[in-house]
C-alpha cells in the first residue's frame, strides 16, 4: 500500500495535475460505460483517495460507507428504507390509476426495452423473426383477395355511398369476416401477417371495403371470445361470425369517452330475474361504432354495478364487456355518421333498459365481470399493430406506384416531370417513407406472430404509420396536381387523401397516442426499474424497492457515462453487428448514441418532474418522437438485412435513416430547451443544448440519395415491383406489353397507368437517339412528330421505334386525362 501510495504520489507531485484529473475522469467514465458493479467503483474510489493523498481517517470513513452499500441487508435498513420514505413524502412517484395499471400490465415489452435501456443489443434484435405468409395464406391473397379487389369499383362505391351486394356476399362467402377465428370454429385461422396483407391489398383498392373487413377482425366480439369467452359462447358465436351469418361491431367510444375510454358512462346493473338467474339491465349511448347500423351482435363495454353484491365483488364491479344481439328489445341501431364522405358504416347506437342474461352475455361469464378493461387493453396491444398500419401502408404503396407512373408519363417542357428536381424531392420522400412503413409493419408483425403483444410498440406503429401515410398522400397530391384533385374513375389517390384523418383519429387519436402512450406508458413499461420502484412503494415493500432503486441508480450512472463518451466519439466507441453493410455501420453507431442519450434524459425527466411528467405532454411528446424514430430506424435496418442488403436499396435506407436521425436530433433540441430542471436549466439549455447542436446526431440526406430513389421509382423492373408488392395493381408482375395493353381495355386506371409506364419506358431509347441527333446538329430542333419524321428519314430511328414513339404519345395522353361529367352525370349517382 505504501509503495502504491508513493508511486501515485510521485506522479501527482511531478506530473501535471490536469493530466491526472483528466485521466481519472476518463477512467471513471470507462468504468461506468461498461456498467461495472459497485465493487469496481469502490476499488476505483479507493485508488483515487490514495492517489490524491487522502488522510487515513478519510479512507476509513470511505470504507465504512462503501461497506454499508455493499452489504445488502444493512443498505436496505439504513438507506433504502429512508429513501423510500422521502420519496413517498415528496410525491416523486406518480399516482397510477387502476385503468392505467391495466394498460401497463397489458401486453409485454419487446425490443423497445433495449432501445429504452441505453445499450441496445443489435445482434439479438436482428435475430428477431420477420413476418412471412404460409403457402395457404399466400394462395388466399393471390386468389380470393385478388378477386375481391377486382369486384370493387372504388369510384362507384364512393359515388353510390354503399358497398354493393355482390361485394358483401363475396366477403361473407369467402371467410373474410373470420380471418382471425380458429379453424376449429370455421374460421380461416390466419396469422397477423396474413390479416395485415389482406387489409393492405384491399385498402389499395377500396377503403370502405377494407374497413368493413378489418373491423370484425380487429377489436371486437371474435377477438374477445377467442381469448376470454366461455366454451358455450365460443361454440355459439364463433362459427356464425366466421360464416358471416352474424355481423359484429364493438361499442366503446361515447360522446364523453373517446381517447379516455376509461371514462365510459354506459352502465349495467346486476339483478336476479324471476327465474332466479342473474341478469343485467344496460343503458348506453355510443358513437363512431363501425358496422353498428347493420350489426347483428354488438360487443359492448360498460361499467357494471352490483348493488346487492350478488357476484361477491362489491357494488362497483368495474368495466365489463358483453355481447348483445342487436334485435334485443331496447337496442337502437339504424342511423349512421358520415365520416368525410367515405361510405363505410360508422354509426351511433343506444340501449334503453336492455336486459340480458349475465352468464350468456358477459364475455367469460360471471368470471369476466369487471375484467373488461384488461381484456380491451390486451386486445388493443396487438390490434393497433395490424389493421391501421396495413391500411396506411397499402395507401402509401399505391401512392408510390401512382405518383411514380404519373411522374414518368406526364411531360412538361418536353421532359418527364419526375426528372425535375422539384418533383424528385417529394417523389423520393414517398419512396423512402413507403420503404420504412413496410419495414415497420413487417417487423412488428413478426413479434405478434410469435405471440408477443408489445403495447408500446404497436402504439408507435399505429401513430407513425398513419402520420407517415398522411405525408405520403400529401406529396402524391402535389406531384399529381390536377390529376389528383379531379374525382372519378381515373383518380386513384383522392379517396385516401380524404380518408387520411379517419385512421389518425380512430383507435386513440394520434395526439393522445403520442403524448400519453408511447412515452407516458413506455417510461414505466420499458424502463428496467421504474415500474418496480412504483409498485414497491405502493406495496410498501422495502426489499423490492432496494433492488429496483439501486439498480436504477446504476442504470443512470451507466447511461450518463455512455452518453458522454458516445457523444465525444460520435458513436465510434461502439461496436456494430457482424456482417452488416459497411455503409450502414454508421447508423448502428448513431442509434446506440441516441439510445444512451435518450435513456439518461428520460431518467432526468422522470426524476425531476416525478408525477407531474405525464401532464407535461410537450415534453413526453418529444420523448415519444425520439423513441419511435429509434424503433423505425431499427425496423429499416432489420428489413435491409432480411432482404439481403441489396445495393440498389441503399438510397432508400440511407435517406430514411438520415431523416429519422434528424427527427431524433430535433427531439433532443426541444428537450434541452424545455426541460426545466431546478437550478440547472441554464446548464441544459446553454451548455448541453449548444453542444448538442454543434455535435448533431443527424443531418438531412443529400440530394444525391433523393435523385437515386426517384430514378429507381421511375424504372420498370424487380425493385419497383418489390417496393410495392402486395397491393392491387394490374400488370404489376409483368412488363410484357401484350398483357398490360390488354389489361388497359378494362378501364382500370392501374392498368392504364402501367400500360403507359411500360410503353413510355420502351420509347425512351428512341427519344434519347433523337435528342442526341438534335444536339449533334444531324436534324433540326422540332417538336413531337416532326422530329420523329426527320429522325426516321435520316435512319436515326427505325420503323419499329417510330411506331413505338407514336404509341407512347397516344397512351401518354390517355393516361394523364381526368374524368369529366355532364351536368346530369355530375348531380346523379353514376
Amino acid at each position: 500500500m505504501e509503495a502504491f501510495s508513493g508511486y501515485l504520489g510521485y506522479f501527482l507531485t511531478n506530473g501535471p495535475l490536469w493530466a491526472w484529473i483528466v485521466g481519472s475522469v476518463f477512467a471513471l467514465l470507462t468504468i461506468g460505460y461498461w456498467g461495472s458493479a459497485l465493487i469496481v467503483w469502490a476499488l476505483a474510489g479507493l485508488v483515487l483517495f490514495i492517489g490524491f493523498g487522502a488522510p487515513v481517517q478519510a479512507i476509513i470513513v470511505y470504507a465504512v460507507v462503501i461497506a454499508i452499500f455493499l452489504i445488502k441487508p444493512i443498505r436496505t435498513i439504513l438507506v433504502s428504507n429512508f429513501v423510500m420514505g422521502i420519496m413517498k413524502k415528496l410525491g416523486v412517484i406518480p399516482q397510477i390509476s387502476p385503468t392505467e395499471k391495466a394498460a401497463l400490465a397489458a401486453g409485454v415489452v419487446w425490443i423497445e426495452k433495449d432501445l429504452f435501456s441505453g445499450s441496445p443489443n443489435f445482434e439479438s434484435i436482428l435475430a428477431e423473426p420477420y413476418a412471412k405468409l404460409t403457402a395457404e395464406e399466400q394462395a388466399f391473397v393471390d386468389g380470393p383477395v385478388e378477386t375481391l379487389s377486382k369486384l370493387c369499383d372504388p369510384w362507384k362505391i364512393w359515388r353510390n355511398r354503399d358497398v354493393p351486394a355482390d361485394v358483401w356476399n363475396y366477403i361473407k362467402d369467402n371467410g373474410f369476416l373470420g380471418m382471425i377465428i380458429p379453424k376449429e370454429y370455421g374460421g380461416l385461422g390466419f396469422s397477423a401477417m396474413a390479416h395485415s396483407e389482406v387489409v393492405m391489398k384491399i385498402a389499395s383498392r377500396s377503403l370502405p371495403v377494407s374497413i368493413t373487413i378489418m373491423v370484425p377482425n380487429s377489436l371486437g366480439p371474435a377477438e374477445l371470445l377467442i381469448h376470454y369467452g366461455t366454451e358455450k359462447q365460443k361454440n355459439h358465436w364463433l362459427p356464425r361470425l366466421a360464416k358471416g351469418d352474424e355481423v359484429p361491431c364493438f361499442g366503446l367510444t361515447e360522446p364523453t369517452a373517446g381517447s379516455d375510454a376509461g371514462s365510459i358512462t354506459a352502465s349495467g346493473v346486476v339483478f336476479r330475474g324471476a327465474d332466479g338467474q342473474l341478469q343485467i339491465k344496460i343503458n348506453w349511448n355510443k358513437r363512431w361504432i363501425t358496422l353498428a347500423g347493420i350489426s347483428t351482435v354488438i360487443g359492448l363495454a360498460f361499467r357494471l354495478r352490483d348493488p346487492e353484491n350478488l357476484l361477491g365483488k362489491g357494488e362497483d364491479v368495474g368495466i365489463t364487456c358483453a355481447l348483445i344481439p342487436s334485435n334485443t328489445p331496447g337496442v337502437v341501431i339504424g342511423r349512421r355518421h358520415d365520416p368525410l364522405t367515405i361510405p363505410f358504416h360508422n354509426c351511433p347506437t343506444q340501449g334503453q333498459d336492455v336486459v340480458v342474461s349475465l352468464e350468456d352475455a358477459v364475455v367469460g361469464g360471471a368470471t369476466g365481470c369487471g375484467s373488461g378493461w384488461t381484456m380491451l387493453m390486451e386486445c388493443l396491444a396487438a390490434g393497433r399493430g395490424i389493421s391501421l398500419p396495413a391500411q396506411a401502408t397499402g395507401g402509401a404503396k399505391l401512392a408510390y406506384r401512382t405518383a411514380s407512373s404519373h411522374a414518368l408519363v406526364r411531360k412538361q417542357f418536353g421532359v418527364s416531370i419526375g426528372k425535375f428536381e422539384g418533383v424528385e424531392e417529394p417523389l423520393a420522400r414517398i419512396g423512402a417513407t413507403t420503404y420504412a412503413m413496410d419495414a415497420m409493419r413487417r417487423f412488428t408483425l413478426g413479434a405478434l406472430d410469435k405471440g408477443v403483444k408489445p403495447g408500446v410498440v404497436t402504439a408507435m406503429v399505429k401513430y407513425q404509420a398513419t402520420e407517415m401515410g398522411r405525408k405520403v398522400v400529401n406529396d402524391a397530391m402535389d406531384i399529381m396536381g390536377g390529376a389528383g384533385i379531379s374525382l372519378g374513375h381515373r383518380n386513384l389517390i383522392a379517396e385516401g387523401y380524404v380518408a387520411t384523418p379517419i385512421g389518425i383519429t380512430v383507435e386513440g387519436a394520434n395526439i393522445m397516442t403520442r403524448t400519453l402512450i408511447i412515452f407516458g406508458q413506455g417510461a414505466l413499461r420499458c424502463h428496467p426499474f421504474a415500474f418496480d420502484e412504483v409498485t414497491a412503494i405502493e406495496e410498501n415493500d422495502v426489499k423490492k424497492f432496494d433492488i429496483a432503486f439501486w439498480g436504477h441508480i446504476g442504470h443512470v450512472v451507466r447511461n450518463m457515462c455512455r452518453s458522454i463518451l458516445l457523444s465525444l466519439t460520435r458513436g465510434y466507441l461502439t461496436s456494430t453487428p457482424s456482417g452488416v453493410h459497411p455503409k450502414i455501420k454508421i447508423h448502428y453507431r448513431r442509434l446506440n448514441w441516441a439510445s444512451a442519450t435518450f435513456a439518461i434524459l428520460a431518467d432526468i425527466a422522470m426524476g425531476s418532474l416525478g408525477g407531474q411528467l405525464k401532464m407535461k405532454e410537450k415534453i413526453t411528446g418529444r420523448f415519444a418522437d425520439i423513441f419511435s424514430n429509434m424503433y423505425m430506424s431499427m425496423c429499416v435496418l432489420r428489413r435491409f438485412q432480411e432482404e439481403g442488403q441489396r445495393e440498389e436499396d441503399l438510397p432508400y435506407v440511407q435517406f430514411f435513416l438520415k431523416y429519422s436521425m434528424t427527427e431524433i436530433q430535433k427531439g433532443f433540441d426541444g428537450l434541452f430547451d424545455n426541460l426545466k430542471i431546478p437550478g440547472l436549466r441554464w446548464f441544459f439549455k446553454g451548455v448541453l443544448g449548444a453542444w448538442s447542436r454543434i455535435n448533431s446526431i443527424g443531418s438531412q440526406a443529400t440530394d444525391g440519395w433523393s435523385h437515386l430513389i426517384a430514378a429507381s421509382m421511375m424504372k420498370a423492373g424487380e425493385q419497383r415491383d418489390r417496393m410495392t408488392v402486395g397491393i392491387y395493381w394490374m400488370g404489376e408482375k409483368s412488363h410484357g406489353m401484350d398483357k398490360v395493353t390488354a389489361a388497359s381495355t378494362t378501364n382500370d386506371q392501374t392498368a392504364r397507368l402501367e400500360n403507359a409506364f411500360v410503353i413510355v419506358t420502351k420509347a425512351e431509347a428512341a427519344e434519347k437517339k433523337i435528342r442526341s441527333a438534335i444536339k449533334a446538329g444531324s436534324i433540326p430542333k422540332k417538336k413531337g412528330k416532326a422530329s420523329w419524321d426527320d429522325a426516321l428519314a435520316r435512319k436515326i430511328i427505325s420503323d419499329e421505334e417510330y411506331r413505338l414513339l407514336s404509341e407512347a404519345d397516344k397512351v401518354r395522353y390517355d393516361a394523364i386525362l381526368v374524368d369529366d361529367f355532364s351536368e346530369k352525370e355530375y348531380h346523379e349517382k353514376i
Side-chain angles (χ1 to χ4, degrees):
M1 178 69 75
E2 290 179 3
F4 182 65
S5 179
Y7 181 73
L8 290 177
Y10 171 81
F11 279 98
L12 282 172
T13 303
N14 297 285
L17 181 60
W18 65 265
W20 173 254
I21 294 173
V22 170
S24 299
V25 170
F26 181 75
L28 293 176
L29 286 173
T30 302
I31 292 171
Y33 180 90
W34 295 109
S36 302
L38 181 57
I39 187 66
V40 177
W41 283 96
L43 292 173
L46 183 61
V47 169
L48 292 180
F49 264 84
I50 295 170
F52 281 100
V56 175
Q57 295 89 336
I59 294 175
I60 293 172
V61 172
Y62 170 79
V64 171
V65 172
I66 287 298
I68 291 172
F69 281 89
L70 286 173
I71 303 171
K72 185 178 174 181
I74 297 175
R75 182 185 69 201
T76 302
I77 295 170
L78 297 181
V79 183
S80 300
N81 193 40
F82 173 76
V83 172
M84 189 170 78
I86 293 295
M87 291 178 74
K88 280 183 177 179
K89 289 179 181 179
L90 295 177
V92 173
I93 298 298
Q95 296 295 312
I96 303 177
S97 68
T99 53
E100 288 176 310
K101 285 181 181 177
L104 287 168
V108 297
V109 289
W110 184 47
I111 70 161
E112 72 276 27
K113 71 180 186 303
D114 290 281
L115 297 171
F116 202 105
S117 72
S119 183
N121 185 336
F122 293 128
E123 295 282 1
S124 66
I125 293 174
L126 291 174
E128 287 290 332
Y130 209 69
K132 292 180 174 64
L133 294 175
T134 65
E136 178 189 10
E137 291 168 342
Q138 186 64 62
F140 187 81
V141 171
D142 294 339
V145 180
E146 180 74 10
T147 301
L148 177 60
S149 299
K150 289 178 180 177
L151 275 176
C152 296
D153 185 329
W155 170 244
K156 284 187 177 179
I157 291 172
W158 194 2
R159 190 66 183 244
N160 294 334
R161 297 173 69 79
D162 194 22
V163 175
D166 61 335
V167 173
W168 256 111
N169 291 336
Y170 192 85
I171 289 170
K172 292 179 179 180
D173 293 344
N174 288 273
F176 281 90
L177 300 183
M179 291 189 294
I180 65 169
I181 295 175
K183 291 182 178 180
E184 58 263 36
Y185 295 104
L188 297 178
F190 278 173
S191 64
M193 175 62 179
H195 177 184
S196 174
E197 288 284 306
V198 172
V199 171
M200 182 178 72
K201 186 161 193 168
I202 297 172
S204 71
R205 181 62 168 167
S206 171
L207 281 172
V209 175
S210 74
I211 293 169
T212 299
I213 289 170
M214 78 186 198
V215 168
N217 290 287
S218 187
L219 176 64
E223 178 81 2
L224 293 169
L225 286 168
I226 290 167
H227 296 290
Y228 314 106
T230 65
E231 284 304 311
K232 179 181 178 182
Q233 290 171 337
K234 291 178 183 179
N235 291 328
H236 174 80
W237 288 111
L238 290 179
R240 291 169 170 78
L241 290 167
K243 293 178 184 176
D245 294 339
E246 302 283 357
V247 177
C249 70
F250 190 80
L252 179 60
T253 52
E254 300 175 358
T256 58
S259 295
D260 180 16
S263 66
I264 59 177
T265 60
S267 62
V269 178
V270 180
F271 67 97
R272 196 174 295 280
D275 59 358
Q277 300 300 308
L278 294 181
Q279 296 183 311
I280 309 175
K281 181 185 290 185
I282 312 175
N283 288 274
W284 70 84
N285 179 22
K286 302 286 185 178
R287 67 178 179 183
W288 300 314
I289 311 304
T290 300
L291 299 183
I294 57 171
S295 67
T296 60
V297 57
I298 300 171
L300 193 73
F302 62 96
R303 290 190 175 277
L304 182 61
R305 291 178 55 249
D306 184 6
E308 300 176 54
N309 198 22
L310 297 173
L311 294 169
K313 298 182 179 183
E315 180 176 350
D316 186 6
V317 180
I319 294 175
T320 299
C321 293
L323 303 183
I324 315 294
S326 299
N327 60 2
T328 305
V331 174
V332 180
I333 59 172
R335 296 184 65 79
R336 62 192 294 183
H337 305 301
D338 188 0
L340 293 177
T341 75
I342 306 301
F344 66 99
H345 282 84
N346 187 258
C347 318
T349 173
Q350 294 82 36
Q352 299 170 1
D353 294 334
V354 177
V355 176
V356 292
S357 163
L358 183 148
E359 192 61 32
D360 290 341
V362 173
V363 177
T367 59
C369 292
S371 300
W373 188 246
T374 299
M375 294 178 185
L376 295 174
M377 291 301 99
E378 289 181 354
C379 290
L380 278 171
R384 280 195 202 101
I386 303 175
S387 296
L388 288 170
Q391 190 181 77
T393 305
K397 288 185 177 184
L398 179 66
Y400 178 117
R401 197 89 184 187
T402 303
S404 61
S405 297
H406 183 84
L408 177 74
V409 170
R410 181 161 175 74
K411 278 188 174 183
Q412 292 290 277
F413 309 106
V415 179
S416 291
I417 64 170
K419 296 182 180 178
F420 291 106
E421 289 194 358
V423 175
E424 269 191 359
E425 193 172 11
L427 200 58
R429 286 198 298 266
I430 291 172
T433 304
T434 301
Y435 181 93
M437 290 172 70
D438 209 24
M440 182 168 58
R441 180 185 71 94
R442 292 283 299 276
F443 194 27
T444 305
L445 291 169
L448 295 174
D449 277 335
K450 80 169 188 176
V452 177
K453 295 180 180 180
V456 173
V457 161
T458 55
M460 291 182 196
V461 175
K462 184 269 174 178
Y463 166 66
Q464 288 290 356
T466 52
E467 290 293 342
M468 292 160 79
R470 169 156 51 185
K471 293 174 183 176
V472 165
V473 77
N474 281 338
D475 277 334
M477 289 292 284
D478 287 347
I479 293 168
M480 300 292 290
I485 65 169
S486 302
L487 293 175
H489 285 283
R490 291 171 174 260
N491 193 327
L492 298 176
I493 62 171
E495 185 180 50
Y497 177 79
V498 173
T500 290
I502 299 173
I504 284 169
T505 299
V506 300
E507 285 191 22
N510 275 0
I511 289 174
M512 307 301 283
T513 301
R514 172 179 177 257
T515 57
L516 294 182
I517 299 178
I518 295 175
F519 185 77
Q521 290 183 13
L524 287 177
R525 197 71 184 85
C526 302
H527 195 287
F529 303 103
F531 191 59
D532 287 342
E533 286 175 297
V534 172
T535 55
I537 289 176
E538 287 185 345
E539 296 165 4
N540 202 33
D541 188 337
V542 69
K543 290 182 179 180
K544 183 177 179 180
F545 176 79
D546 176 85
I547 295 170
F549 180 76
W550 295 109
H552 195 162
I553 294 297
H555 177 75
V556 168
V557 171
R558 183 195 65 170
N559 282 324
M560 184 175 293
C561 295
R562 285 180 59 81
S563 179
I564 292 170
L565 289 177
L566 292 177
S567 178
L568 290 172
T569 62
R570 295 190 57 76
Y572 277 89
L573 194 60
T574 66
S575 61
T576 56
S578 58
V580 302
H581 195 288
K583 292 182 180 178
I584 298 301
K585 288 183 177 181
I586 187 173
H587 298 298
Y588 285 98
R589 297 187 182 108
R590 296 285 172 85
L591 192 52
N592 222 324
W593 173 14
S595 176
T597 305
F598 170 83
I600 188 60
L601 285 177
D603 271 312
I604 289 170
M606 291 164 70
S608 61
L609 296 174
Q612 297 179 353
L613 179 58
K614 65 181 179 181
M615 303 305 296
K616 300 290 184 181
E617 294 174 16
K618 295 175 185 176
I619 296 295
T620 60
R622 293 183 180 102
F623 275 117
D625 292 342
I626 298 168
F627 198 11
S628 54
N629 271 283
M630 288 195 297
Y631 177 70
M632 288 192 294
S633 296
M634 195 65 245
C635 292
V636 167
L637 290 168
R638 180 68 180 86
R639 176 179 180 178
F640 187 60
Q641 184 222 39
E642 177 68 23
E643 296 182 353
Q645 303 190 95
R646 302 168 186 250
E647 289 288 333
E648 67 267 28
D649 289 355
L650 267 177
Y652 291 82
V653 176
Q654 295 277 23
F655 187 98
F656 185 81
L657 291 176
K658 295 281 275 183
Y659 161 80
S660 193
M661 284 297 164
T662 302
E663 291 298 300
I664 288 172
Q665 179 63 41
K666 282 169 60 178
F668 284 142
D669 290 344
L671 291 175
F672 285 127
D673 283 348
N674 294 284
L675 267 177
K676 297 180 180 179
I677 311 301
L680 288 176
R681 188 177 181 191
W682 63 270
F683 179 71
F684 270 77
K685 186 171 183 177
V687 179
L688 295 182
W691 169 250
S692 176
R693 286 173 173 83
I694 293 169
N695 189 42
S696 174
I697 202 168
S699 58
Q700 292 287 355
T702 61
D703 292 345
W705 292 123
S706 62
H707 172 74
L708 290 172
I709 293 171
S712 76
M713 293 172 70
M714 294 187 292
K715 181 180 179 182
E718 183 272 340
Q719 185 183 25
R720 185 169 185 260
D721 291 341
R722 180 164 48 83
M723 292 295 175
T724 56
V725 68
I727 63 169
Y728 175 81
W729 190 271
M730 291 189 70
E732 70 171 314
K733 294 180 180 177
S734 171
H735 298 292
M737 193 183 304
D738 291 340
K739 178 178 178 180
V740 179
T741 303
S744 69
T745 63
T746 65
N747 198 32
D748 186 299
Q749 182 65 4
T750 68
R752 184 182 288 110
L753 277 175
E754 187 69 9
N755 179 47
F757 186 90
V758 171
I759 295 174
V760 168
T761 297
K762 289 179 179 291
E764 281 185 334
E767 290 181 340
K768 186 176 181 181
K769 287 181 181 180
I770 294 172
R771 288 196 300 270
S772 297
I774 292 172
K775 187 175 181 180
S778 302
I779 57 175
K781 184 176 181 179
K782 296 179 182 178
K783 288 186 177 181
K785 189 173 181 298
S787 66
W788 309 343
D789 291 340
D790 288 344
L792 181 63
R794 293 182 176 273
K795 298 190 182 300
I796 292 169
I797 59 173
S798 65
D799 289 339
E800 174 59 24
E801 287 174 318
Y802 186 92
R803 186 198 68 77
L804 190 58
L805 286 168
S806 300
E807 179 70 6
D809 195 50
K810 182 171 65 175
V811 298
R812 185 194 301 274
Y813 181 77
D814 181 48
I816 64 172
L817 291 177
V818 298
D819 294 284
D820 53 73
F821 311 96
S822 68
E823 280 295 322
K824 182 180 179 182
E825 290 170 333
Y826 181 83
H827 291 289
E828 290 180 349
K829 292 182 178 180
I830 56 173

